[in-house]
Amino acid sequence: MSAASEATPLAAPGNPVGRSVRDSLIVAKRNLIRMGRIPEMLIFGLIQPIMFVVLFTYVFGGSIQVGGSDSTQAYREFLMAGIFAQTVTFATAGAGAGIADDMHKGLIDRFRSLPMARGAVLTGRTLADLVQTALTLLVLAIVALIVGWRTHENLGKVLVGFGLLLLLGYAFSWIGALIGLSVRTPEAATSGGLIWLFPLTFISNAFVDANQMPTFLRHIAEWNPFSATVQACRELFGNLPPGFHTPDAWPMQHPVWASLIWSVAITLFFRTLAVRKYRSATA
């Protein structure tokens, strides 16, 4: 075992909360600088959601009906909230791979030798991923406007919708952090971060009307935390198609509250597990 890994961090003076915030921001800055030096990370992260927008809009959009409308425009607007939500959740794989890479290179051991808050390493990483996700959402929204997506509510509601998307992405980044700490290589973290996301995003209301699913799948989709954020964004963007029947399940009737509750609960639960795993993995 290296001397760095055996070292005990010295207690830094100052308020513990303020010190933790400061340390987290320093680690976030370090990760943002690293991301800026590797622009391929952002470019490749944009390719997949743009492909989904094009495929579902121009390839599948003409054969999928939602609500009481059969127009392509209605499905295009219905689709975009799902694409946005899928984009922020798929960033989970990148968060897990980044943390696994730091673990693999021994960087975490060097962090432990410094007088810094234990949770700052993970918090800083997830904050940096949140900034990258926000940039990705901005570019994706511009692409969506180009292909014909429009909002029909005021700017305040639209911004709240994007805020819920970022909150969901931040919550899921903690799942990625836990996965990254639990595997041995960045490749395993990437695979582990994606394999469970596909059923989560497709057994939802992201791409099709959940009312058209078999009963048991419909119930899963209605209580899926991913679906709550998608439904909330559709309402806040004014993208519910004419004649659309909102399911009777509580998360679908109160999607904004459901999205907030799910995102906060996921953040608290998986942050606790990730910090605990971090301490045991580097002890």
Side-chain angles (χ1 to χ4, degrees), residues 80 84 138-151:
M80 284 314 306
F84 290 147
L138 175 62
V139 175
L140 189 58
I142 294 172
V143 173
L145 289 171
I146 292 173
V147 300
W149 172 67
R150 297 292 183 269
T151 60

Side-chain angles (χ1 to χ4, degrees), residues 22-35:
R22 181 201 64 197
D23 294 344
S24 298
L25 292 176
I26 291 173
V27 175
K29 181 180 178 181
R30 172 256 174 190
N31 283 286
L32 288 172
I33 292 173
R34 181 189 179 196
M35 291 175 184

Side-chain angles (χ1 to χ4, degrees), residues 71-89:
S71 71
T72 303
Q73 179 64 20
Y75 180 69
R76 185 178 295 130
E77 294 183 353
F78 177 88
L79 169 70
M80 284 314 306
I83 296 292
F84 290 147
Q86 185 191 56
T87 300
V88 301
T89 54

Side-chain angles (χ1 to χ4, degrees), residues 32-43 105 132:
L32 288 172
I33 292 173
R34 181 189 179 196
M35 291 175 184
R37 292 174 178 171
I38 313 174
E40 300 94 319
M41 294 174 61
L42 181 60
I43 294 172
K105 292 178 178 178
Q132 182 180 3

Side-chain angles (χ1 to χ4, degrees), residues 35-116:
M35 291 175 184
R37 292 174 178 171
I38 313 174
E40 300 94 319
M41 294 174 61
L42 181 60
I43 294 172
F44 291 147
L46 283 170
I47 291 176
Q48 179 176 295
I50 290 175
M51 287 177 59
F52 270 100
V53 171
V54 174
L55 286 173
F56 277 90
T57 299
Y58 296 110
V59 178
F60 303 120
S63 59
I64 299 178
Q65 297 182 9
V66 289
S69 174
D70 59 354
S71 71
T72 303
Q73 179 64 20
Y75 180 69
R76 185 178 295 130
E77 294 183 353
F78 177 88
L79 169 70
M80 284 314 306
I83 296 292
F84 290 147
Q86 185 191 56
T87 300
V88 301
T89 54
F90 270 45
T92 300
I99 291 174
D101 186 50
D102 287 344
M103 292 282 292
H104 185 68
K105 292 178 178 178
L107 182 64
I108 300 299
D109 287 337
R110 292 194 288 274
F111 278 138
R112 289 189 69 245
S113 68
L114 301 175
M116 61 187 299

